[in-house]
Amino acid sequence: MKFNFILPTLFVLLLSFNGFAQFGSLKGKAKEVTKEVKPTETPNVTEKATSTVAKASGAGIFIWPDGSSNLIATDPYSSPAHDKNVGKIVFSDQKILAENTNETLFKSTFKIDDPIYGRVYTKTSIKNYALYRNGDVTSSAKVNDKSYLYIKIFIDGVDQSFLFANDDNGGKYETWNSWQIFVSARGDDAKNNKATVVEAFNKLSPGNHKIKLQCFGGENNIDYTIQPIAEGEFTLNVEAGKAMKIGKNWAFYKAAMTNPALDKQIVDAINKYASSQGWKETFSKAKITDADWYVTKAEWTGIPLYRTINAIVYAKWPDGHCTAQEVSVIQNYNDGAFSKLTEYNAVGNQYKIDCE
């Protein structure tokens, strides 16, 4: 009786062991078929993703494989220059258009006061690169749902405390495999320049300095690609007495209402408030950015309570830099009329601009 009991049990154990062995073998095979999408392949996005592609098989950049529902269509490569420079960020003293085929535009050395533009060339769209928590390849791969990206900046090999760019653009880059970046742009493009970047460059000592940019998919310090998806470097020659411009000045901002008397009242109101708060800057001029006052009325009676209007004010700081500050001022309603006293109401964004 004991022998008959042990035999079926032994049979079940052997069967279970064999089943687990086959399951392990299948997992191993699933990892082996994971592969990157080649530029010439047309991705198939109709099939569902499987758990077998949850982790990258190596330490390189991981792109969702063919057949994964996470893989989306990518804009076609636009030029031979793109094909030749996949995974790179290239630079020029003029805008590099997506359809550009002229590599003679590319430069690797610039003076501090030169215009500097860049273009990122990637293998596929941002969304097709898998993300990992803290860039740890042993964690589960995640989809870059909103096409997040960020660009790190290194000056003479030192990773800076600020990012060159940090962007999601509401999915703007979802199908892009190339886009323009702005280091020291001119004209209307100057609105894309980063004041923190310009300030850091202007603090450099005279001589040559190595500037490197690395583009990652994902969000810095959260989920991101385990390696840069593109990177590039240029030499910046700093000459004594010369500086890089932010590219935005007071003329960049336009007034929606012309009222010199009110402009002065706004400047006075903001300076008064700034003094009471211990602000360091001094405001000297304003541009009204609303076409008219916004009147707030009592809900039940409809009687006006006050009115507000928005403006931008120019300020200079003790260290010599200048800013454009968004502000709101208020006039209260008393005895059937709005007060002639214009007072501080609120502040908005502040932008560093080139001084006049």
Side-chain angles (χ1 to χ4, degrees), residues 99-349:
E99 60 271 21
N100 171 67
T101 60
N102 184 7
E103 291 186 72
T104 61
L105 292 178
F106 302 163
K107 297 182 62 176
S108 59
T109 302
F110 301 89
K111 294 181 179 180
I112 188 72
D113 55 350
D114 283 341
I116 307 174
Y117 295 81
R119 177 158 286 277
V120 180
Y121 291 122
T122 61
K123 184 173 185 178
T124 183
S125 70
I126 292 293
K127 195 169 185 178
N128 288 335
Y129 292 95
L131 311 181
Y132 297 86
R133 178 52 54 103
N134 296 321
D136 180 6
V137 71
T138 64
S139 62
S140 296
K142 300 179 180 181
V143 180
N144 195 356
D145 287 325
K146 293 187 177 181
S147 302
Y148 281 106
L149 68 88
Y150 63 93
I151 301 178
K152 299 178 72 172
I153 179 170
F154 298 79
I155 300 178
D156 294 327
V158 178
D159 188 355
Q160 300 302 295
S161 59
F162 59 89
L163 294 174
F164 175 82
N166 188 21
D167 206 351
D168 70 342
N169 272 269
K172 176 180 177 181
Y173 299 123
E174 186 165 284
T175 63
W176 291 11
N177 58 6
S178 179
W179 62 95
Q180 186 82 52
I181 59 174
F182 306 89
V183 181
S184 181
R186 298 291 188 267
D188 188 56
D189 290 328
K191 64 179 179 290
N192 300 294
N193 294 345
K194 311 295 189 302
T196 50
V197 174
V198 174
E199 286 182 343
F201 288 170
N202 285 336
K203 290 178 181 178
L204 295 175
S205 60
N208 290 329
H209 299 270
K210 292 294 183 181
I211 311 300
K212 182 169 71 173
L213 301 182
Q214 289 186 335
C215 180
F216 291 79
E219 296 180 80
N220 187 41
N221 296 326
I222 305 179
D223 300 320
Y224 49 89
T225 52
I226 54 182
Q227 288 184 2
I229 60 176
E231 62 182 341
E233 183 177 275
F234 64 87
T235 298
L236 183 67
N237 178 253
V238 178
E239 297 181 63
K242 294 187 177 181
M244 179 176 287
K245 297 287 187 180
I246 295 173
K248 288 180 285 189
N249 56 22
W250 184 240
F252 177 83
Y253 299 95
K254 307 301 179 185
M257 177 195 296
T258 302
N259 189 330
L262 182 56
D263 288 346
K264 184 178 184 305
Q265 291 176 38
I266 292 171
V267 171
D268 291 343
I270 300 307
N271 273 323
K272 180 179 179 180
Y273 181 80
S275 178
S276 71
Q277 299 299 307
W279 293 2
K280 297 179 180 180
E281 68 267 45
T282 300
F283 300 94
S284 60
K285 45 192 169 184
K287 290 181 180 179
I288 302 167
T289 53
D290 284 340
D292 204 351
W293 291 88
Y294 177 80
V295 179
T296 298
K297 299 180 179 180
E299 183 176 358
W300 298 108
T301 65
I303 297 174
L305 299 174
Y306 55 85
R307 64 181 183 178
T308 59
I309 198 164
N310 296 319
I312 192 104
V313 286
Y314 178 87
K316 192 160 188 176
W317 293 65
D319 65 1
H321 84 270
C322 298
T323 56
Q325 173 74 61
E326 293 176 347
V327 300
S328 169
V329 294
I330 186 171
Q331 290 181 346
N332 290 308
Y333 188 84
N334 295 304
D335 300 325
F338 288 104
S339 172
K340 293 182 180 180
L341 177 63
T342 301
E343 299 177 281
Y344 165 86
N345 182 47
V347 293
N349 295 322

